[in-house]
Structure formats: C-alpha cells, structure tokens
Amino acid sequence: MKATFRWFGKEDDSVSLEYIRQIPGIDGIVGALFDIPVGEVWPESRIMELKEEINRNGMSLEVIESVNIHEDIKLGLPSREKYIENYKETIRNLAKAGVKVICYNFMPIFDWTRSDLAKELPDGSTVLAYEKAKIESIEPLELIEQMENLSNGYSLPGWEPERLKAIKQLFELYQDVTEEDLFDHLQYFLEQVIPVAEECDIKMAIHPDDPPWSVFGLPRIVRSKENLERIVKLVNSPSNGLTICSGSLGANPNHDIPDILCHFLKMNRVPFVHIRNIKIADNGNFQETSHRSTEEGSLDLYKIVKVLHDHGFKGYFRPDHGRMIWGEKARPGYGLYDRALGIMYILGIWDSLEQNNKAVKKGEINNVTIN
Ligand code: CS2
Ligand code: MN
C-alpha cells in the first residue's frame, strides 16, 4: 500500500513538503486546490503546477481530497447540470496530471463537525472532540464562529467561508430534502461522472459522514455499512469507490471497522483509506487520540492494518487527524508531528506483518499472528 500525507499547499500549510518527504516510507501527497471555489473547474495549469512542486520534492500527487460537490448537486436543483459538467472537466484535467483517486463527500452544508478543536488530554496534547449535548444545543452559525476562533488562523477544510456565508438560505433549501432524496441526487451525480472517471482511469472515493449521524437536522446518508453497500451499487463500477475512514465511521460504536473494510475490499471498492483512532464515550461523545491502539483509543488499528495486509492492499492510505503535540502550531488535526507518528505506527504494523509472512514462508516460524 502507498503511504500519503494530506497537504494544504505552500500558502496555507504550516508543514512544508521538505519536511513531509523526511517521513520514512512516504510515497505521495494528498493535495487539492483550496482556493478554487466549489463548483468551478480546476484549471489544468494549476494542477500541473501543484504536481510539479510535489514531484520536485520526490513525492507523487495521485490522490486529491477533496473535489467538493456543489450544494446544488446535493439539493438536486436544475442548476446542478452546470456543476456536474464542471466536475467532469475537473476529473479530466486531474487525469491528465496522473491523478488516480478523487476523495469527496456528500454531506449537506457541513463537512466534519466537532464541538472543540483543542480539547486538552492529560498529557497536555490537544485534540478535536465532539460533545453531543453541546452540538445539540448550539446554533449552526454560532458553531461556525467558534470554529473560526479556534482554528489558529487557518482555513478549515470543508468549512469554506464563501459556501457557509449563505448558511441560512441553505438550511431553508434543505428543509424538505429527505435521505431518500439525497440518495437520488447522489445517484444522478454518479450516473454522470462515473463513466468519465472510468474513461480517465480514476477512482471516485466517497468519504463517510463525520460523525456518521444527522447533525443540525440535516439528512446524511454515507454513514453505515448498509448505506455504503447501497452507494456502491448505485452505479456498478470499480470507479464508484469508497474512502474508508476509520475515525469517521468508528464514532458509531456499532460499526465494526475491520469487518466493513474487509467487506468492501473484497468488492474491490476501496481505493483510499483514512486511518486514525478515537475514544468513544457511552453518551455518544468522542475525542480523537493518537493512532496507537491502547486503552486511550477505542479502535483496533492492528486489526485494521491486518485486514489491509491480508488483502494485499495496493491502494493509498493516509493518517487522518493527529493530536497537536510538542508545541506545534498548525491547522487543528493537521500538524506534522502526530500524523508522522501515525504513519510510523501504521507502517510498523504493516512491516511486522510482512516479516512474519516471509518467515512463515521460509518455514522459520509458525504463523503466530493474532486474527
Ligand atoms: C476528514 C474529512 O473528517 C474526516 O475524517 O478526513 O474532513 C475529509 O477530508 C472530507 O470529508 C473529504 O471530503
Ligand atoms: Mn477522514
């Protein structure tokens, strides 16, 4: 599998490509053009510029996160036609630069939602956290203001100001949109873009809703194994794929992440995996943690990586959000240090599984891995 790292571009990231390339085992950057307003075509020249900059630093640009979906597409408005055409054009332009995977999400209005961007853990590190009661009692506009104040001056991915400005009007437009409508609108979009993705040898990879339940009364559909199954079948093509994000799906304690991952890997629908850990409380609250599987985290990353290894996973993974540690000042969730530790932990598990398999093949040891 290929190790990648999300990067927000030299204007808007505290982490440099020169530093990212020093992470052992790194293959590529997960990039995007964050200044292009949602719905507009990404110009080929800008994509090439980004690619060349990354290539100069010895890494590849084969994964994009995200090409965001215009709200008119999610709402199923007649104006969606124009935005779908633009999306197809962007897919074609990305393919010309050698991009293989496009991660996107289909969450109405908000991308990921948290009540705190810097919750302090006992060791002094800080993490993103979700307090159910707080989210249920706060007005969306107030939350946006709080998020802006807590973001260390960085723009937050998925919280583009130009889109959120129109928030009141957007909420009105979504008032009568049901989950079934959202499935229909996703199907309409996929039926048009997947053939283009196929032609371009690109895999579309929808990201699960974060958290995987309705927030602020808005419909959300990318939130369970059953729904993911329905989504991959909306258009039956390997280009209609999933980003399995352990931390997003894992916030619901009923979700068995290794099982979900295994299921969709078998169907060949997982081009991209986000790996991170979270600690879930009984009351629906959760907070992010280091990647390591300990009593501090609720997810078993060993099992997740083992499922990937057992399937001979050739796709891309990235560590997802990390803690803020060692005094780093960065975009919440996206500092260098803890995400680099995350990659090393994941590759450490992978490498030991590799060594184990080799030794078993040579007859040096019996298979002793825990299943
Ligand atoms: C992140 C998302 O919440 C998460 O886990 O990975 O912000 C993700 O980047 C987007 O939803 C993808 O469109
Ligand atoms: Mn994710």
Side-chain angles (χ1 to χ4, degrees):
M1 65 178 180
K2 297 188 191 92
T4 61
F5 204 79
R6 193 176 194 186
W7 186 62
F8 293 87
K10 61 173 180 289
E11 308 298 333
D12 202 26
D13 204 316
S14 60
V15 185
S16 67
L17 291 176
E18 286 77 9
Y19 282 8
I20 297 173
R21 75 181 300 185
Q22 293 171 352
I23 301 170
I26 193 83
D27 290 293
I29 287 294
V30 173
L33 297 177
F34 290 95
D35 59 316
I36 309 280
V38 63
E40 282 183 23
V41 178
W42 291 19
E44 199 186 326
S45 58
R46 291 285 316 280
I47 302 167
M48 291 310 291
E49 245 171 62
L50 178 67
K51 176 196 160 78
E52 279 156 19
E53 192 181 2
I54 293 166
N55 289 169
R56 270 198 302 278
N57 282 283
M59 294 174 287
S60 63
L61 174 67
E62 293 177 0
V63 185
I64 294 293
E65 177 176 346
S66 303
V67 182
N68 282 330
I69 311 279
H70 196 277
E71 293 299 332
D72 292 9
I73 298 177
K74 295 181 233 170
L75 284 160
L77 300 179
S79 45
R80 67 180 156 178
E81 302 303 338
K82 177 177 89 198
Y83 296 117
I84 293 176
E85 285 312 311
N86 287 354
Y87 208 99
K88 290 182 192 167
E89 211 44 46
T90 297
I91 295 177
R92 292 194 184 99
N93 288 346
L94 287 168
K96 286 182 206 153
V99 166
K100 298 286 172 218
V101 177
I102 298 175
C103 172
Y104 69 104
N105 72 72
F106 214 73
M107 285 174 262
I109 310 182
F110 296 105
D111 194 314
W112 50 276
T113 309
R114 298 286 185 277
S115 54
D116 198 344
L117 301 181
K119 179 171 178 183
E120 195 164 325
L121 300 186
D123 63 7
S125 60
T126 62
V127 293
L128 280 70
Y130 183 95
E131 212 181 301
K132 216 168 187 167
K134 203 164 157 190
I135 294 289
E136 277 163 10
S137 64
I138 198 169
E139 285 298 317
L141 267 175
E142 204 183 320
L143 181 69
I144 294 170
E145 268 162 33
Q146 286 189 11
M147 299 274 275
E148 274 171 4
N149 292 337
L150 288 167
S151 67
N152 293 344
Y154 290 100
S155 62
L156 296 170
W159 290 73
E160 299 80 11
E162 81 275 5
R163 198 164 54 88
L164 295 174
K165 261 192 314 221
I167 198 139
K168 273 197 186 134
Q169 195 202 348
L170 275 174
F171 263 92
E172 278 162 25
L173 288 169
Y174 272 107
Q175 221 162 37
D176 300 319
V177 178
T178 64
E179 290 194 352
E180 283 309 306
D181 294 331
L182 214 50
F183 270 112
D184 285 350
H185 302 160
L186 177 58
Q187 178 159 14
Y188 188 89
F189 169 73
L190 291 173
E191 278 171 352
Q192 296 207 49
V193 300
I194 294 300
V196 177
E198 277 175 354
E199 269 165 39
C200 294
D201 193 24
I202 277 191
K203 305 262 190 307
M204 296 293 294
I206 196 166
H207 188 282
D209 302 340
D210 181 6
W213 52 74
S214 165
V215 176
F216 299 128
L218 294 164
R220 283 192 160 188
I221 55 173
V222 195
R223 54 171 178 72
S224 65
K225 185 179 177 185
E226 296 67 36
N227 284 16
L228 292 177
E229 178 91 18
R230 196 169 155 189
I231 288 165
V232 296
K233 288 181 175 158
L234 288 177
V235 173
N236 204 2
S237 156
S239 281
N240 178 22
L242 307 169
T243 298
I244 295 293
C245 174
S246 62
S248 298
L249 285 166
N252 180 336
N254 301 323
H255 291 166
D256 178 342
I257 306 302
D259 167 67
I260 294 176
L261 187 57
C262 182
H263 179 78
F264 293 105
L265 281 168
K266 279 191 190 145
M267 294 173 80
N268 191 25
R269 294 300 185 93
V270 190
F272 190 28
V273 182
H274 284 182
I275 306 181
R276 64 177 156 91
N277 213 336
I278 48 170
K279 177 75 177 174
I280 316 167
D282 296 336
N283 57 3
N285 293 351
F286 64 86
Q287 66 192 31
E288 299 182 357
T289 66
S290 91
H291 284 70
R292 190 166 181 232
S293 315
T294 58
E295 59 285 357
E296 285 160 32
S298 302
L299 305 180
D300 188 337
L301 261 65
Y302 168 77
K303 277 196 185 153
I304 292 171
V305 177
K306 185 162 189 308
V307 169
L308 291 169
H309 191 261
D310 288 352
H311 281 81
F313 182 61
K314 298 266 188 307
Y316 306 84
F317 84 91
R318 71 166 179 86
D320 213 344
H321 314 156
R323 301 166 302 152
M324 212 50 71
I325 58 172
W326 303 335
E328 190 177 13
K329 295 262 177 293
R331 172 182 280 102
Y334 287 100
L336 169 66
Y337 305 147
D338 203 39
R339 287 189 297 152
L341 290 179
I343 289 210
M344 290 324 294
Y345 181 63
I346 294 160
L347 289 180
I349 298 173
W350 180 274
D351 290 349
S352 49
L353 291 167
E354 286 279 283
Q355 295 292 345
N356 184 71
N357 279 7
K358 275 188 203 152
V360 171
K361 267 192 206 138
K362 282 197 207 151
E364 288 168 6
I365 54 165
N366 294 324
N367 195 345
V368 288
T369 53
I370 310 152
N371 284 303

